[in-house]
Amino acid sequence: MQRILLFKESCQLSEEYLDKSFDNSNDFEKEKIINKLLLSRVLKRVVLNVDIDDLNTSEEENHDSVVKYKFSFVGILTIDSYCLVVYPKYIQNIDNDFYNNQLKLRQIINVIDKSRLMNEPISGQEEYSANILPLMIKILKDYQSQGLYHTDQAIIEYNGEGSINWDLTVNECQTYLVNKKPYYFDFYTDNQRLDEFNIIRKLHACIITDIAKQLEPILSLFDINYVELTNDTIFDFGDIDHINYLLNSELSLQFITKKRLILCDLLNYINNSQYSDEELGIDLYGTNSFNLVWEQVCRVIYQDDLSKKLSSLKLRLSDAKNNIDYRSLLTLKDIVDKPVWNYQGEKITASKTLELDVLRVNHHDKKFEIYDGKYYTVKVNKNSISGQPGVSDITKQYLYQLAFAKLAQINQFSFSNAFVIPVDELNRDYGDGVDYGFVKLAIFNELNLNDIQIIARDAQIAFDMFLKMT
């Protein structure tokens, strides 16, 4: 049984705290676990108020008191005999959520899943060799929605409910002639029957049971029910080579896509789940880049138009008087100019440029609405502020407006410009967010650019909207 430990992303942890967290392990195992987390980039080591690159070995030893650790991951991971649950950094009380209904955590897992599906190609034979936990969850979820792998046996029934087998009926059944027309009061029919004893079906049931037993403490986080379908063990079906032979043989005969995907997943599980205790494998289900997930959420809930064809947006695209012509461009985001380099006599246009999260064309209010999802936890203390977007973020936000200024001019559109941040349990948010204020840089005042509004969104409400809209 794995022990569950709770952490919050980016929360600074002392070495002593981590040491106590893994108190089921000896000192050697603890060091190995922490090193594995560091190598996997799930955990980061930070030195407070000191640039670690400026310290030599002897100096570094004298600064143990300022060494901290923090998780740079959101989701669930398993390592050795532990299951680590890491909440996003904006959650106020992780214990309250986990030890009650886990509503926030389960919603976050669903959002990560949906975001991954929207941004990555789906493959029937995805590589899970380095990280098998997502595969295990996928196998259980597929079983929950589709049931066990099955094949049908072709059978012939006497007076059954399937389609009539006329060859057998004509040759084997009594014919009655009425007005020189043949009639049959009895007939043979073709039908299909589930093959309950198919060995692949039994192996599938065994793997489902094996995975459910391993993940029993965390199944509820994925809305998966615990099941125990058989008392068989995987090795009751033979060694790994023989099981591979069975699955590959079935795969060569199976042409139904859904069933082929099940077989591929079973093959991946059989071949990649053989970790010894000495390997101390780490399996992850989550993301190191929850900021990208938040940006994806903002793109959906604010109905981003950047990737839409310009011709579909009902905008005026040219103005000869002002020498403006966007008709040759394909999408709205193509309007943003790319850097052009003149280098040693060569003129080269860069492949990348400014990339904003959301630009929504609001025809009703004749406005371009710019939103930039910022995964920050801003804190204000008297006259100081921390955790806020930096100067480069603010500068880019102004540049986003400048990039579309000409298009706005010929269409007589105005702008709104906003940072969007997630907040936990924001009771004042009724679905449109809450105005937290604005930020501005005085050097941009002469360009008549909008101040950048700060919109706080209740994360649960935003995530619920995202899941319903995708």
Side-chain angles (χ1 to χ4, degrees):
M1 180 71 72
Q2 290 179 319
R3 180 180 174 186
I4 296 179
L5 303 176
L6 303 183
F7 298 97
K8 186 190 290 190
E9 177 200 21
S10 295
C11 182
Q12 292 179 358
L13 309 168
S14 67
E15 195 163 357
E16 292 74 20
Y17 184 88
L18 283 179
D19 189 71
K20 290 179 181 178
S21 297
F22 299 111
D23 59 2
N24 281 357
S25 305
N26 59 42
D27 289 343
F28 174 76
E29 290 170 338
K30 288 178 185 177
E31 183 179 358
K32 200 171 182 181
I33 289 171
I34 292 173
N35 285 336
K36 189 73 174 180
L37 292 171
L38 289 169
L39 287 170
S40 302
R41 299 181 181 179
V42 167
L43 187 70
K44 289 185 177 180
R45 183 171 177 262
V46 294
V47 178
L48 303 182
N49 302 320
V50 179
D51 188 345
I52 195 169
D53 293 330
D54 293 336
L55 299 176
N56 59 37
T57 304
S58 60
E59 289 175 323
E60 193 171 336
E61 290 173 355
N62 294 326
H63 284 84
D64 285 345
S65 59
V66 296
V67 173
K68 298 287 185 179
Y69 296 87
K70 65 178 182 180
F71 281 92
S72 57
F73 170 83
V74 173
I76 298 166
L77 65 92
T78 60
I79 182 169
D80 197 18
S81 60
Y82 301 94
C83 173
L84 279 59
V85 177
V86 185
Y87 277 81
K89 60 188 178 183
Y90 63 83
I91 299 292
Q92 296 179 19
N93 191 329
I94 61 176
D95 290 333
N96 185 57
D97 179 68
F98 188 84
Y99 293 112
N100 285 293
N101 47 31
Q102 301 169 351
L103 284 178
K104 294 176 185 176
L105 180 59
R106 284 188 278 130
Q107 184 189 52
I108 289 162
I109 294 298
N110 288 335
V111 169
I112 292 172
D113 281 344
K114 183 61 69 73
S115 179
R116 182 183 291 119
L117 287 173
M118 293 174 69
N119 289 288
E120 293 182 1
I122 307 302
S123 170
Q125 299 200 49
E126 185 175 354
E127 274 298 332
Y128 286 93
S129 57
N131 185 20
I132 199 172
L133 183 58
L135 174 63
M136 297 166 78
I137 298 299
K138 180 177 184 294
I139 289 173
L140 290 181
K141 284 191 171 182
D142 286 346
Y143 163 72
Q144 198 165 263
S145 62
Q146 301 177 38
L148 284 175
Y149 181 87
H150 64 275
T151 56
D152 296 325
Q153 288 180 316
I155 59 172
I156 295 174
E157 296 177 315
Y158 190 67
N159 291 331
E161 295 182 356
S163 59
I164 296 175
N165 186 318
W166 284 110
D167 286 339
L168 271 178
T169 299
V170 170
N171 291 321
E172 301 292 338
C173 295
Q174 178 67 45
T175 305
Y176 297 91
L177 293 175
V178 179
N179 295 326
K180 297 183 179 181
K181 293 183 179 180
Y183 286 88
Y184 297 90
F185 297 116
D186 299 295
F187 43 84
Y188 287 96
T189 56
D190 295 321
N191 213 336
Q192 301 284 329
R193 181 175 62 192
L194 177 66
D195 186 0
E196 294 280 359
F197 301 102
N198 179 275
I199 193 167
I200 303 300
R201 180 181 176 86
K202 295 173 72 175
L203 176 62
H204 190 195
C206 182
I207 290 174
I208 293 294
T209 302
D210 182 56
I211 294 174
K213 287 180 178 179
Q214 292 182 61
L215 302 183
E216 184 178 1
I218 61 172
L219 288 179
S220 63
L221 304 181
F222 300 95
D223 292 323
I224 296 174
N225 297 322
Y226 177 78
V227 289
E228 194 166 340
L229 304 176
T230 179
N231 292 322
D232 294 337
T233 67
I234 289 176
F235 291 104
D236 288 338
F237 295 84
D239 59 20
I240 294 299
D241 289 338
H242 183 64
I243 295 174
N244 267 285
Y245 168 76
L246 292 174
L247 289 168
N248 280 307
S249 296
E250 182 70 16
L251 190 59
S252 67
L253 300 173
Q254 183 58 257
F255 298 99
I256 299 175
T257 301
K258 285 185 177 180
K259 293 183 179 181
R260 287 183 62 84
L261 291 174
I262 291 173
L263 294 170
C264 288
D265 286 343
L266 298 184
L267 275 166
N268 280 325
Y269 178 76
I270 289 297
N271 290 318
N272 296 310
S273 61
Q274 304 167 69
Y275 296 115
S276 66
D277 293 337
E278 294 181 353
E279 284 293 326
L280 202 65
I282 178 171
D283 289 311
L284 311 172
Y285 197 100
T287 178
N288 292 90
S289 306
F290 198 76
N291 60 308
L292 300 182
V293 174
W294 180 244
E295 289 171 9
Q296 180 70 57
V297 169
C298 290
R299 273 191 286 273
V300 170
I301 66 176
Y302 286 110
Q303 302 175 49
D304 176 39
D305 289 322
L306 281 167
S307 296
K308 291 185 178 179
K309 290 184 178 180
L310 275 171
S311 58
S312 69
L313 294 174
K314 300 178 181 178
L315 293 169
R316 184 183 177 191
L317 300 178
S318 64
D319 182 356
K321 182 180 179 180
N322 291 293
N323 196 27
I324 299 172
D325 193 348
Y326 296 122
R327 289 174 296 180
S328 63
L329 301 179
L330 183 61
T331 65
L332 187 58
K333 64 183 177 183
D334 292 334
I335 287 177
V336 182
D337 291 329
K338 296 177 180 178
V340 178
W341 291 81
N342 281 281
Y343 189 76
Q344 293 185 344
E346 295 287 338
K347 187 176 180 180
I348 303 167
T349 301
S351 59
K352 292 186 177 180
T353 186
L354 291 169
E355 294 182 7
L356 61 161
D357 292 341
V358 181
L359 192 147
R360 180 169 177 250
V361 180
N362 184 337
H363 282 282
H364 182 269
D365 297 328
K366 292 185 71 66
K367 183 184 292 185
F368 287 140
E369 299 173 351
I370 299 174
Y371 300 98
D372 207 43
K374 291 299 180 187
Y375 182 55
Y376 288 80
T377 50
V378 183
K379 295 180 180 178
V380 176
N381 183 19
K382 294 183 179 179
N383 294 323
S384 66
I385 186 169
S386 62
Q388 77 277 19
V391 173
S392 62
D393 296 304
I394 297 168
T395 302
K396 283 191 290 185
Q397 206 69 14
Y398 282 118
L399 293 178
Y400 295 153
Q401 181 175 339
L402 277 176
F404 292 92
K406 290 182 180 179
L407 185 65
Q409 174 190 336
I410 63 177
N411 284 278
Q412 297 183 328
F413 271 44
S414 61
F415 282 95
S416 65
N417 202 342
F419 288 142
V420 184
I421 60 174
V423 175
D424 190 28
E425 298 183 8
L426 185 59
N427 296 326
R428 291 182 291 149
D429 185 357
Y430 299 106
D432 295 319
V434 176
D435 186 351
Y436 262 28
F438 63 91
V439 61
K440 63 180 180 180
L441 266 175
I443 58 175
F444 287 98
N445 287 349
E446 295 180 3
L447 298 176
N448 295 318
L449 299 176
N450 297 60
D451 294 338
I452 301 165
Q453 186 184 6
I454 302 167
I455 299 175
R457 298 296 303 249
D458 180 273
Q460 276 189 282
I461 293 174
F463 290 159
D464 186 55
M465 292 174 63
F466 170 75
L467 292 171
K468 288 178 178 178
M469 294 171 70
T470 53

